[in-house]
Amino acid sequence: MHLFWKTALLALIVVVAPAHAADEPDGAAILAMAREAAGGDAWANAQTLQLSGHAVFYGRAGHKPRSVASDYRMWREFDRNRTVAHGADGKVRIIARSAESLLFEVGYDGETTWTERGVTPKAEADKFWANNFGFGIIRQANKPGFTALRLADDTHDGHPLYMVELTDPTGGTTLFGIDQKSGYIRTMGFRTPRGWHLRTYDDFVELANPRWVQARHVTLYYDGRKSNEVFWTNTVVNASIDPALFTPPAE
């Protein structure tokens, strides 16, 4: 009888262990799931992205919006060899307007950052991008030099999340919250000069040719305080962008 129970116990371990392992993916497996859910290789290797919609900006005090951009647009040209999570990469241009009035604009051509006030000194620009860039590094997660560490699970808006800390080759870290059911990226956070920066992603839509999942509602927080919300209504992937959009103003 003793031998019987020992054999039965060993058989149970053999049967149960693989199932348990399948239910407990590690950080790399979770980010691979997120990559596939977002659009797979087409999403990870996208060349350009154009988004438009509207945005709401809040001040440091009070509950009412500080400003509303009825026309908010972003153009991105991606660097597919990116290795730094929280620095400028590729090319970017953002324009925020309220009716016919310009609220602000910012651009980066791969070297120079500028705003509606002119070219931004590098030290100031580096600080600005450190406060804002971080999401796109997840596209590089499966490349050499990156590590993904699974942390304690969490929830966002009722959705169970896998939490994974992605470390880039320079040591920069970004915390991603991946929906345990859909694989969608629902949260992202990292430390910035302004404090802990959290973004939440909601209202997802899936596009085709290429397959691309876009969050149409993005909310940004710094140290727990809501900073702004963006509502994207139009998404264009891999279309050509006029190089002039990324050209800084003449000094």
Side-chain angles (χ1 to χ4, degrees), residues 55-118:
V56 182
F57 299 89
Y58 300 91
R60 294 184 178 274
H63 67 284
K64 294 183 178 180
R66 173 173 53 86
S67 60
V68 176
S70 55
D71 185 358
Y72 189 71
R73 299 173 185 265
M74 181 177 72
W75 296 262
R76 290 283 282 119
E77 186 175 289
F78 296 113
D79 176 3
R80 287 185 285 178
N81 296 311
R82 179 179 180 180
T83 58
V84 178
H86 309 304
D89 78 282
K91 298 179 181 180
V92 61
R93 180 77 179 273
I94 298 172
I95 300 177
R97 294 182 179 276
S98 178
E100 297 302 316
S101 300
L102 177 67
L103 295 178
F104 68 85
E105 66 175 318
V106 61
Y108 176 71
D109 68 348
E111 294 183 359
T112 302
T113 298
W114 78 95
T115 70
E116 71 280 4
R117 298 184 298 275

Side-chain angles (χ1 to χ4, degrees), residues 140-146 169:
Q140 317 299 324
N142 65 343
K143 294 183 178 179
F146 289 84

Side-chain angles (χ1 to χ4, degrees), residues 162-244:
Y162 294 123
M163 302 303 296
V164 179
E165 183 180 71
L166 178 63
T167 302
D168 69 32
T170 70
T173 59
T174 311
L175 183 63
F176 289 96
I178 310 301
D179 191 301
Q180 294 185 10
K181 293 183 178 180
S182 67
Y184 292 166
I185 303 164
R186 288 197 176 272
T187 68
M188 178 206 68
F190 57 94
R191 298 196 182 281
T192 79
R194 288 180 60 183
W196 179 255
H197 178 37
L198 171 69
R199 292 185 200 176
T200 63
Y201 302 91
D202 295 290
D203 189 18
F204 295 91
V205 60
E206 183 170 335
L207 310 178
N209 300 318
R211 185 167 68 88
W212 181 280
V213 170
Q214 179 64 46
R216 293 185 291 190
H217 182 194
V218 184
T219 307
L220 293 79
Y221 301 84
Y222 290 91
D223 280 345
R225 298 181 179 184
K226 185 188 293 188
S227 173
N228 58 291
E229 295 178 272
V230 181
F231 301 87
W232 299 121
T233 54
N234 190 51
T235 304
V236 179
V237 182
N238 287 342
S240 61
I241 299 176
D242 184 350

Side-chain angles (χ1 to χ4, degrees), residues 25-35 141-142 146-150 164 166:
D26 63 11
I30 293 167
L31 295 190
M33 177 182 74
R35 173 192 176 107
N142 65 343
F146 289 84
T147 59
L149 176 65
R150 181 176 175 181
V164 179
L166 178 63

